[in-house]
Amino acid sequence: MMEENTDRIIEQYLSGNLREEELEQFKNTLKSDQRLARRVKDLQAIESGLHALGMDHLMQDMKKWEKDIKLSQPPVTAWKKYLAVAAVITLILVPAVYFFTSKSPTSEELFLAYYEPYEEMLISRSNTSDSLGILLAAGLDAYNRGAYQRCTDLLKSYLQQQPEAYRVALYLGIAQLEIDQKQSAEKNFLLAQNDPAFEQQAQWYQALSYLKFGEIPKARDILQSISTSESHYRKDQASDLLKDLH
Amino acid sequence: MRLESTQPSTDQLLHQIRKGDRLFLRQLYEENRSAFGVWVTKNYQCDEDMIADIYQQAFTTLYYNVKEGRLVTLTSSIRTYLFAIGKNLIRDHIKITARRQEILEVAVEMNDVDNSIIDRYQQSAVKTTVSMLLNRIGEPCKSVLELFYIKGYALDAIAVEMNYSNENVVAKRKFICLKQMRELLAEGTPGDEI
């Protein structure tokens, strides 16, 4: 009976299901009972070996999937004697084939290719000695952790109390973009453009937001303006993205 | 077919991974692979082999984070999460490459030890031992342990597959099998640890 109970506790310990107080108690028992500690250690080692085999299995599967993806791409012929003929045929056919069959990247794929969250640089400067400062610090901390829903809740509340904290609107907009709150994100990117220090960043993310939600003409307008601007920090990327959009 | 066209929620997708649905896992792998390649090529200088390697590491991390309960819910899409892991892996890779370069540029001290190699060998020894034990343990333990640890089935999926009444029975059986493995280990290598 006692053995059964020990087994139950070991089983729950290994699967991480022991309650906090039981866990503490069990850890203390392990310190004083070397035989039990050895038993648990062996079981953990066996589990870790099994997990390692599982990881190997997944890696093998992924290698196979990778190979299948490569195989599904059209092969490249190396027959030199056909190259000249092929070149001529290609010249004639490519525009037509391209027109009918080319698969341009979707706006979502382009969004993913160009998007990454703006690095947060405010937290070190925020004053955490008052409740507003704490709210801002918590919001930016959530942003840094990628907890975008939490970040949205906190920064929204901060902006309600500090409506002219335009730079905070940029981070809020990005968090909202992450959780697909399209309209709020766009509203905040517009708001953030009131801060000259963050205007360019807000423009760039506004364009990406349009791209993410498939509003290509709006995205194109902003990208056009960024790419023709003299000193925009995303000038080159905007030009590349415009080319990819064609 | 794109995943989005079937419009399952992110939580439903995570549930599919948790269940150990290999076909779904493959679909998820394939659906995000090309966009990942495009994204990495745009942002970092990586060759095709490295992209595949990083993607597989990111995918493995996603898989184990879900399976081991570290990732229960997501506010962003799985793709965004996958890309975020990929970005961290690339940054780590860049840091490690830069660090290796620094090490090559200065004299290598005699007591410098590459711990990763030692870890790898130890891990390899454990895998070999466990693999041998699996071949000796017999049924139904072999299948229960393989389905859970190697093929990634959830307990309820194993119950269905092996005709157990519920997942609690499977959990109990799994533990009994682990204990049997330990006994086999003790028989084979008295006094040794793995």
Side-chain angles (χ1 to χ4, degrees), chain A residues 7 10-11 14 38-39 41-43 45-59 61-66 68-70 106 108-109 112-117 119 146 148-149 178-179 240 244, chain B residues 2 4 22 25-26 29-30 33 35 38-39 42-44 52 56 59-60 63-64 68 75-76 79-80 83 87 91 123 126-127 130-131 134 145 149-151 171-172 174-175 178-179 181-182 191-194:
Chain A
D7 274 359
I10 298 176
E11 182 197 340
L14 291 177
R38 167 73 187 266
R39 199 167 138 197
K41 201 178 157 201
D42 283 353
L43 290 170
I46 291 169
E47 270 208 312
S48 129
L50 286 164
H51 279 303
L53 289 176
M55 197 175 277
D56 280 359
H57 185 71
L58 178 65
M59 290 305 287
D61 274 355
M62 286 192 295
K63 276 186 186 143
K64 190 179 169 299
W65 301 339
E66 194 68 30
D68 289 348
I69 291 172
K70 279 188 186 146
T106 63
E108 196 205 356
E109 281 168 350
L112 286 165
Y114 284 85
Y115 171 78
E116 58 177 343
E119 211 157 305
Y148 295 113
Q149 182 61 59
E178 287 274 358
I179 56 173
D240 288 348
D244 290 339
Chain B
R2 297 181 55 75
E4 286 76 6
R22 219 62 170 184
L25 213 57
R26 180 188 176 132
Y29 184 95
E30 291 177 353
R33 176 64 179 86
V38 173
W39 173 75
K42 275 279 173 202
N43 292 287
Y44 306 93
Q56 286 172 6
F59 200 82
T60 306
Y63 175 76
Y64 280 101
E68 290 171 7
T75 50
S76 62
R79 183 174 278 191
T80 307
F83 281 36
K87 188 164 74 180
R91 284 180 177 171
Q123 187 72 344
V126 175
K127 271 193 295 189
V130 169
S131 194
L134 259 185
L145 295 174
Y149 291 101
I150 301 178
K151 295 191 175 166
K172 215 164 217 171
K174 177 169 77 71
F175 184 68
L178 282 178
K179 283 205 314 182
M181 262 201 153
R182 183 176 175 268
D192 279 359
E193 292 179 29
I194 56 170

Side-chain angles (χ1 to χ4, degrees), chain A residues 154-165:
Chain A
L154 294 166
L155 293 188
K156 230 162 95 178
S157 164
Y158 181 85
L159 262 181
Q160 274 163 5
Q161 297 172 67
Q162 296 281 306
E164 291 187 0

